[in-house]
Amino acid sequence: MEIIRFADLKPQPWRNGGGVTRELASRSGGASAGTAASEDGAWDWRVSIADVTSAGEYSAFPGMERVLTVVEGELLLLAVDGTEHPLEKYRPFRFPGGAASSSALPTGNVRNLNVIAREGAFKAYTSIIELSKKRAHPVFEGQLGILLQGQATVSPGRAASPGSAGADSTPVPLGRYDAVVGSDSQPPEILGRGFLAVVSIDPVTG
């Protein structure tokens, strides 16, 4: 069971100085990519959380598709190729990475969950779900479960094959914006109260 602790992530300043980004996960060339590799978009997909502290333009990523979700703050005004889109909290918005885009902050600073994927190779999705203390939410292969708000724990799920249970099934507390890496062989299960973002990165086939 793999947990990415948000508190351990190093903030990276935006190229235009308008905020900072913390990368949760990325992939390049079939392997996980580190921070340095992702600075110039040398990846096939990336999941990150950005603090937006001033209005300004976004970097262009031609050949990529972006899914942006406001996870803290009230409102982000995102302009994409001249059309303004008001983005409210927990409402994912998809747009072309190569489009001319910029944002304004009418109600103050916001924090965004950013998912970006290479068109034709991967398709990214973000879903916001409300957690339950009675029914655990599993996180499968190709997914990240990110605690946005509330209190929750994660435990190893049932193993896919009999007799291959995990060494330790003790629930592990999650902090805000901690991410749980999914698995199909033993999907981790998240239980608690609050809101969870489930990011899915699906390979494009056919």
Side-chain angles (χ1 to χ4, degrees):
M1 189 172 67
E2 182 180 354
I3 302 172
I4 301 166
R5 296 293 185 182
F6 184 73
D8 295 337
L9 302 179
K10 181 180 177 181
Q12 307 167 24
W14 289 14
R15 297 174 195 169
N16 64 6
V20 296
T21 295
R22 291 172 174 85
E23 182 182 288
L24 291 168
S26 64
R27 174 180 172 134
S28 179
S32 294
T35 295
S38 68
E39 286 178 351
D40 295 320
W43 22 258
D44 290 326
W45 58 260
R46 183 182 71 166
V47 180
S48 63
I49 292 179
D51 294 326
V52 187
T53 57
S54 65
E57 295 182 356
Y58 286 6
S59 300
F61 294 100
M64 312 291 276
E65 188 176 55
R66 302 179 69 165
V67 181
L68 186 152
T69 309
V70 176
V71 296
E72 192 171 331
E74 295 180 16
L75 180 67
L76 176 74
L77 291 181
L78 179 68
V80 180
D81 283 340
T83 301
E84 193 171 73
H85 304 270
L87 305 187
E88 297 178 338
K89 187 177 181 181
Y90 295 168
R91 294 185 179 274
F93 179 76
R94 184 184 302 274
F95 64 104
S101 56
S102 62
S103 67
L105 306 171
T107 59
N109 298 348
V110 300
R111 177 169 274 175
N112 295 331
L113 172 62
N114 288 294
V115 184
I116 185 168
R118 190 171 302 283
E119 292 180 328
F122 293 92
K123 191 74 174 181
Y125 302 90
T126 299
S127 300
I128 309 298
I129 67 165
E130 187 170 359
L131 289 169
S132 168
K133 285 186 176 180
K134 296 182 179 180
R135 178 177 294 180
H137 186 86
V139 185
F140 298 104
E141 185 74 27
Q143 294 183 333
L144 285 177
I146 305 161
L147 181 64
L148 301 180
Q149 183 179 320
Q151 295 181 331
T153 60
V154 59
S155 305
R158 294 183 179 181
S161 56
S164 58
D168 186 2
S169 60
T170 303
V172 177
L174 294 173
R176 194 175 189 185
Y177 303 122
D178 287 351
V180 177
V181 179
S183 169
D184 280 346
S185 60
Q186 195 171 357
E189 297 182 337
I190 299 174
L191 197 66
R193 288 290 188 190
F195 290 92
L196 183 77
V198 179
V199 175
S200 302
I201 309 289
D202 298 337
V204 174
T205 58

